[in-house]
């Protein structure tokens, strides 16, 4: 994740939206933007949020509003690197499986423990981003070391073919 | 009458910040009544999809006010609406809910006035 983490919170329940925003703000110096509809979130997707906390049911204010699953699909299609954490009032395994199938990073059931779970999800995302960075670093190191070794072998072969070095050590 | 609300969770969540706690209570007071009206209207219109949505939204909010019995009742109304079963029980449950929401409003307004 980027150093200045941008988080979107999308929920039509303003109290839930505000509570999550307050809780995440207390965690770290995140930039947090809130939206009451998924459509508003999609319009701002060019800002490349690192994480989107997305409500599964987004039709309490407007029956025609796109629901969370549709928004999740759009986010993953447009910004595959943005991680989406789904929020729902339903503790149903099939709903959770559905959201994971479309690329959600986590599924959180709303309630008192939801805020702790959200905090944990952000922590896990940081951990995952660090692992990815470390894996990239090791890959670069392995390639660099491999190339250096290969160059050394080529150099030895060239020098040997020109008679500049021999197999016998000089002190014998 | 026994108290219906319990702000223990919100007090802990707000970390002792009274202004923050009062903000959440105020948000509940602004929306719960409206949501309850939507529940009643949906029942009157027999609009079960709308009833499911209204009950679902109100369910989260009452939970944060520590209203566990009300939350269970809303969960059962949401299930009646979602599965369209046991709809004959919905009217009586909505009457109960209306009384619970009204009581919560009295208790929380009094909390705001005292704090």
């Amino acid at each position: 994740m980027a150093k200045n983490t941008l988080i979107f919170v999308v929920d039509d329940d303003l109290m839930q939206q505000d509570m999550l925003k307050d809780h995440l703000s207390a965690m770290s110096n995140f930039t947090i933007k809130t939206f009451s509809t998924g459509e508003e979130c999609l319009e701002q997707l060019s800002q490349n949020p690192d994480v989107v906390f997305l409500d599964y049911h987004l039709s309490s204010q407007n029956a025609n509003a796109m629901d969370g699953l549709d928004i999740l699909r759009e986010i993953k299609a447009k910004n595959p690197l943005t991680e989406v954490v789904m929020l729902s009032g339903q503790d149903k395994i099939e709903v959770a499986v559905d959201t994971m199938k479309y690329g959600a990073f986590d599924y959180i059931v709303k309630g008192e423990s939801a805020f702790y779970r959200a905090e944990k999800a952000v922590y896990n995302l940081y951990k995952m981003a660090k692992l990815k960075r470390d894996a990239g670093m090791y890959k670069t190191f392995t390639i660099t070391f491999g190339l250096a070794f290969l160059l050394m072998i080529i150099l030895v072969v060239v020098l040997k073919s020109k008679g500049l070095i021999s197999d016998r050590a000089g002190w014998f | 009458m026994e108290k219906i609300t319990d702000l223990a969770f919100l007090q802990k969540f707000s970390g002792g910040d009274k202004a923050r706690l009062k903000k959440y209570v105020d948000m509940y007071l602004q929306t719960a009544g409206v949501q309850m009206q939507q529940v009643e209207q949906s029942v009157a219109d027999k609009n079960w999809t709308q009833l499911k949505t209204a009950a679902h939204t109100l369910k989260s909010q009452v939970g944060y006010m520590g209203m566990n019995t009300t939350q269970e009742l809303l969960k059962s109304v949401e299930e009646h609406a979602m599965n369209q079963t046991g709809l004959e029980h919905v009217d009586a449950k909505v009457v109960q809910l209306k009384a619970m929401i009204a009581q919560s409003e009295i208790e929380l307004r009094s909390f705001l006035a005292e704090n």
Side-chain angles (χ1 to χ4, degrees):
Chain A
M1 281 196 283
K3 274 184 185 167
N4 195 2
T5 305
L6 175 62
I7 299 178
F8 282 6
V9 175
V10 189
D11 202 319
D12 56 355
D13 177 348
L14 297 183
M15 190 171 147
Q16 179 78 36
Q17 187 197 88
D18 210 55
M19 286 174 78
L20 185 55
K21 185 188 167 206
D22 288 348
H23 189 75
L24 294 172
S25 300
M27 256 182 88
S28 185
N29 195 23
F30 300 133
T31 303
I32 304 173
K33 298 196 173 178
T34 55
F35 305 96
S36 300
T37 68
E39 286 85 345
E40 285 173 61
C41 163
L42 291 179
E43 281 169 21
Q44 301 300 318
L45 215 53
S46 57
Q47 293 181 31
N48 293 319
D50 298 290
V51 193
V52 177
F53 283 93
L54 178 65
D55 186 18
Y56 185 81
H57 290 281
L58 284 165
S59 54
S60 75
Q61 313 295 330
N62 175 5
N64 299 318
M66 282 172 82
D67 80 6
L69 210 54
D70 295 328
I71 302 295
L72 166 67
R73 282 191 209 135
E74 291 265 334
I75 293 173
K76 294 311 273 185
K78 288 178 179 165
N79 285 23
L81 294 178
T82 294
E83 297 293 357
V84 180
V85 177
M86 296 301 293
L87 302 164
S88 173
Q90 290 183 348
D91 188 5
K92 287 193 172 171
I93 189 77
E94 57 269 31
V95 179
V97 169
D98 257 3
T99 63
M100 297 295 186
K101 202 165 73 185
Y102 291 111
F105 177 78
D106 204 349
Y107 177 86
I108 296 175
V109 179
K110 285 183 187 178
E112 294 181 2
S113 64
F115 305 98
Y116 168 72
R117 291 273 326 269
E119 193 181 314
K120 193 96 179 139
V122 173
Y123 170 73
N124 286 338
L125 282 165
Y126 264 118
K127 217 162 75 174
M128 198 176 75
K130 189 181 178 301
L131 281 174
K132 275 185 188 167
R133 264 200 319 272
D134 288 352
M137 207 175 70
Y138 288 129
K139 198 174 162 187
T140 310
F141 175 76
T142 308
I143 292 170
T144 311
F145 184 78
L147 281 173
F149 189 70
L150 190 69
L151 277 172
M152 209 170 73
I153 289 173
I154 293 169
L155 187 69
V156 167
V157 169
V158 169
L159 291 175
K160 209 173 160 186
S161 70
K162 295 195 173 183
L164 294 170
I165 55 167
S166 74
D167 287 338
R168 293 183 61 184
W171 56 82
F172 286 116
Chain B
M1 193 185 273
E2 202 181 324
K3 269 187 96 174
I4 198 170
T5 57
D6 177 0
L7 297 177
F9 167 72
L10 276 186
Q11 267 158 351
K12 197 175 160 201
F13 182 79
S14 307
D17 183 341
K18 268 201 171 172
R20 205 172 137 190
L21 170 64
K22 285 164 84 175
K23 177 179 77 169
Y24 301 137
V25 171
D26 196 45
M27 282 177 113
Y28 171 83
L29 288 172
Q30 281 178 37
T31 55
V34 179
Q35 290 289 341
M36 190 60 228
Q37 276 175 12
Q38 276 183 19
V39 167
E40 286 182 279
Q41 192 58 50
S42 310
V43 174
D45 298 342
K46 297 193 190 308
N47 185 339
W48 310 124
T49 311
Q50 195 181 300
L51 175 63
K52 187 193 87 172
T53 307
H56 181 83
T57 310
L58 192 52
K59 190 180 72 180
S60 305
Q61 292 174 2
V62 300
Y64 295 129
M65 299 300 140
M67 299 162 65
N68 300 333
T69 313
T70 315
Q71 196 175 29
E72 283 305 312
L73 200 56
L74 278 160
K75 194 174 169 188
S76 76
V77 169
E78 185 187 359
E79 273 164 15
H80 286 311
M82 189 160 58
N83 305 323
Q84 295 192 20
T85 53
L87 294 168
E88 65 278 13
H89 304 296
V90 169
D91 278 333
K93 288 184 179 181
V94 168
V95 170
Q96 249 182 298
L97 277 172
K98 198 179 171 184
M100 286 169 159
I101 298 294
Q103 193 187 331
S104 74
E105 287 174 332
I106 293 167
E107 289 176 17
L108 295 171
R109 280 207 178 94
S110 137
F111 168 80
L112 287 182
E114 287 164 14
N115 287 275

